[in-house]
Amino acid sequence: IVERDGAQFNADGEIVAPAGERSRYILEHGSPEYHRGFQEFMRNPMSARTAMSTTSANGGYLIPFTLDPTIILTNNGVVDPIRELATVKTITTGTWHGITSAGVTAEMVAESTEVADASPTFSQPTINVYKADAYIEGSLEVVADAALSGEIAGLIGEAKGRLEASKFAVGTGTAEARGIVTATSGGANSVAGSSGAAGAADLVAADIFALDNALADRWRPNATFLGNKAIANKVRQLNAVNGTPLNYAFWTDFGGANPSQLIGYDWRNVSNMDSTIVSGSNDDVITLGDVRQYYVIDRMGLEMVYNPLVLGSNRRPNGNVGWVAFWRFGGDTVYSGAFKTLRL
């Protein structure tokens, strides 16, 4: 146990006993023993000479202190099924290496005819991992009074999830993971949408079927639709084609943990994909493909470092402490042809 500025810290830098008047009040009035004593006093107040209230002088000081130290997050959060559906590999180096092949082509051959050479060719996709971090800093006072250290892991874990969700969907591939949408939009795997009313950019039912038609048979049995919730709601409103109601199987809702299906494929919401369709812009709104062909690469280990002495610009302690987490990850498609992305 180390004592500093009236507070006690253990070997991991965690507060054992905070400092200050407020801290002493919390320790004295928040213990189970004090709670029991207060309850006994309320049953037999003895010589109380004035009406009790929450005013400090009339009993407010006696009220037990109860603190819920749980930090309630108020950011928008994300929905990210990509890590769940993707192929995840853990490595101990900076680069993952794989092997792909188009396979062997068989042939029909006539009698006494030399056969063709069908030896396969191979490619070696590589996916690099890149460093990410999350840093939290606080004054000695707020750390002592708020018992912040117990919430650090949860805060950093939530931030890690939000960062990775963004990169797996729309990461650029430059010093970061390349997202599924980035890898499959604007090129051979991009499907152009149909024109909506008055030629404006819009989503029509024919676009959904065009994605299915463009996807090769190999990838259909395990294919999944990926799209923002707002786009899913637009698809739900495509209730007719040329005035004829769509078949009931166009969009099928299931309850509980079962995802909805669109023309027979599971639909999974992805927060970081396009949520709006704007005329004159390229909006990559829906991806259909076998998400197992997207590889998430984790470099083994996440390092958490506690800094008990943050230095100011003059290299002197500034009264703050900090926590920083480092980890490395990457992601990319091993074969982009396993996906088709609708561009409007």
Side-chain angles (χ1 to χ4, degrees):
I1 300 298
V2 177
E3 185 166 351
R4 183 173 67 250
D5 296 332
Q8 293 182 338
F9 299 79
N10 63 20
D12 295 324
E14 298 172 334
I15 294 287
V16 176
E21 289 296 328
R22 181 185 176 194
S23 300
R24 282 193 291 272
Y25 174 83
I26 292 172
L27 288 175
E28 292 172 0
H29 292 70
S31 67
E33 293 79 8
Y34 188 88
H35 277 250
R36 288 193 293 269
F38 181 79
Q39 291 168 358
E40 179 62 28
F41 173 79
M42 293 303 292
R43 285 193 292 267
N44 183 23
M46 298 181 294
S47 59
R49 292 174 295 175
T50 184
M52 294 185 65
S53 71
T54 56
T55 304
S56 298
N58 291 340
Y61 284 129
L62 300 175
I63 297 174
F65 179 85
T66 302
L67 171 67
D68 182 355
T70 305
I71 294 176
I72 301 172
L73 294 171
T74 58
N75 63 61
N76 289 336
V78 292
V79 176
D80 174 40
I82 295 178
R83 177 181 277 275
E84 171 193 342
L85 299 174
T87 298
V88 179
K89 300 287 186 179
T90 302
I91 62 175
T92 58
T93 60
T95 304
W96 172 86
H97 300 270
I99 298 176
T100 62
S101 174
V104 173
T105 301
E107 65 175 350
M108 302 298 297
V109 63
E111 183 179 1
S112 300
T113 301
E114 183 179 3
V115 300
D117 183 3
S119 300
T121 58
F122 300 95
S123 299
Q124 186 174 73
T126 60
I127 302 176
N128 296 323
V129 294
Y130 304 96
K131 184 172 67 175
D133 69 74
Y135 178 66
I136 298 175
E137 184 176 315
S139 68
L140 291 169
E141 291 82 0
V142 73
V143 171
D145 291 346
L148 184 62
S149 59
E151 296 291 314
I152 295 300
L155 290 170
I156 290 179
E158 195 269 345
K160 178 178 182 290
R162 284 189 288 116
L163 175 67
E164 292 181 353
S166 171
K167 302 312 175 187
F168 295 153
V170 295
T172 64
T174 301
E176 63 183 30
R178 188 165 74 140
I180 287 180
V181 176
T182 306
T184 61
S185 62
N189 300 307
S190 187
V191 175
S194 305
S195 295
D202 201 359
L203 179 66
V204 296
D207 296 332
I208 306 301
F209 295 107
L211 272 178
D212 188 17
N213 292 337
L215 191 67
D217 287 337
R218 174 173 293 277
W219 315 116
R220 284 175 174 158
N222 296 292
T224 300
F225 276 111
L226 303 176
N228 189 280
K229 176 70 171 180
I231 300 300
N233 286 335
K234 289 184 69 71
V235 174
R236 289 173 183 269
Q237 298 174 65
L238 301 177
N239 59 356
V241 177
N242 297 326
T244 302
L246 290 174
N247 185 281
Y248 70 92
F250 182 73
W251 187 287
T252 305
D253 279 319
F254 298 101
N258 297 318
S260 299
Q261 286 192 345
L262 178 61
I263 60 170
Y265 300 108
D266 286 353
W267 175 286
R268 302 298 294 270
N269 295 322
V270 179
S271 297
N272 288 286
M273 291 181 66
D274 274 346
S275 61
T276 57
I277 300 171
V278 180
S279 181
S281 66
N282 290 324
D283 296 308
D284 300 307
V285 293
I286 301 174
T287 295
L288 174 65
D290 183 351
V291 188
R292 299 178 308 170
Q293 305 310 310
Y294 185 84
Y295 275 46
V296 170
I297 309 300
D298 290 322
R299 172 62 166 82
M300 182 179 290
L302 181 149
E303 184 177 3
M304 176 84 78
V305 179
Y306 171 67
N307 181 5
L309 205 64
V310 176
L311 302 180
S313 58
N314 294 314
R315 312 302 296 166
R316 295 190 292 271
N318 65 6
N320 288 353
V321 298
W323 292 263
V324 62
F326 297 98
W327 70 99
R328 286 193 282 169
F329 73 96
D332 204 347
T333 57
V334 292
Y335 178 61
S336 61
F339 302 87
K340 297 298 177 181
T341 294
L342 177 64
R343 169 167 284 189
L344 299 177

